[in-house]
Amino acid sequence: MLREIAEHVESWNVDWQTWQGVPLSTGELRLRFPRFDQILPIYWGQDGVAISDDMQDATTEEGIRMYIEETHPRCPWELPSVVSECHQALALFHTEEQMDRFFAGEAMGGGSGSEDFLDFFPLLAQRCIEHLKEAHSPLWEPKRRWPRRETD
C-alpha cells in the first residue's frame, strides 16, 4: 500500500527543483529516526551511557552490547531499522558538528555533547549486523526449485 502511495506522489506534476533548495525541518528529519528517538536519550542520558546505574563506567561497546541484549529476542524486527537509521544519519549529516547539533541537541536531546557520532553510528550498525548473523537465521527462505528433469 505504501509503495502505491509513493508511486502516486511521484507521478504528481511537481517542480521538484523548487523543493530541492528547501531545507528539511527538525520535525521532518526526526521522522527518519524513530528508533534513535527512543535509543539515544536513554543510551547517552545526560552524562554518557545511562542504560542503568551499573553501566556508568561502561565502554561504548559494552553499552551497545547491553542494548542489543535488551532487544533480544525481538532483534530481527528491531535491529535492521537501527542499522538503517545509522546509515541514514551518516548519509544526511556529513560532519560531527551537524550530528551533535541534531542528535545531542535540537532534535533528540540524546547526549552530553561529548559523543563521537561519526564513530558511534558505524559501530552500532556493525554490532547489530554481527548479532543478527550470529544469533538469528534469516526470516526469509526462497522457494525451493525442483531440479528439472531432462526429457529425451
Side-chain angles (χ1 to χ4, degrees):
M1 179 64 121
L2 293 175
R3 188 171 297 147
E4 288 180 26
I5 293 169
E7 288 171 1
H8 176 70
V9 169
E10 282 184 346
S11 71
W12 291 353
N13 189 15
V14 175
D15 181 12
W16 294 106
Q17 296 293 335
T18 302
W19 295 102
Q20 281 183 323
V22 177
L24 295 171
S25 70
T26 299
E28 288 171 311
L29 280 172
R30 283 186 71 183
L31 294 174
R32 289 182 179 254
F33 303 104
R35 298 266 189 234
F36 281 179
D37 206 12
Q38 299 165 1
I39 295 169
L40 294 180
I42 293 169
Y43 184 84
W44 294 112
Q46 292 179 3
D47 299 315
V49 177
I51 293 175
S52 72
D53 291 337
D54 298 337
M55 295 298 290
Q56 285 185 345
D57 296 324
T59 65
T60 300
E61 291 257 359
E62 292 168 333
I64 290 172
R65 187 173 51 249
M66 182 177 227
Y67 167 72
I68 291 171
E69 288 171 3
E70 287 182 356
T71 64
H72 195 74
R74 299 176 320 277
C75 312
W77 291 271
E78 293 193 25
L79 296 185
S81 296
V82 172
V83 172
S84 174
E85 289 182 32
C86 288
H87 290 289
Q88 282 190 62
L90 293 166
L92 292 173
F93 301 101
H94 304 145
T95 66
E96 186 65 42
E97 293 77 25
Q98 292 171 338
M99 288 188 187
D100 280 342
R101 185 171 178 193
F102 183 77
F103 292 108
E106 281 184 39
M108 306 266 168
S112 60
S114 62
E115 298 79 29
D116 187 353
F117 291 110
L118 286 173
D119 291 335
F120 175 72
F121 289 143
L123 181 63
L124 175 59
Q126 185 60 39
R127 293 302 175 262
C128 289
I129 292 168
E130 288 169 359
H131 173 77
L132 289 168
K133 284 181 178 180
E134 292 169 7
H136 303 280
S137 62
L139 296 175
W140 173 78
E141 287 189 25
K143 290 182 181 179
R144 288 174 81 186
R145 291 192 172 192
W146 300 101
R148 292 185 181 196
R149 291 190 293 175
E150 294 189 30
T151 58
D152 293 344

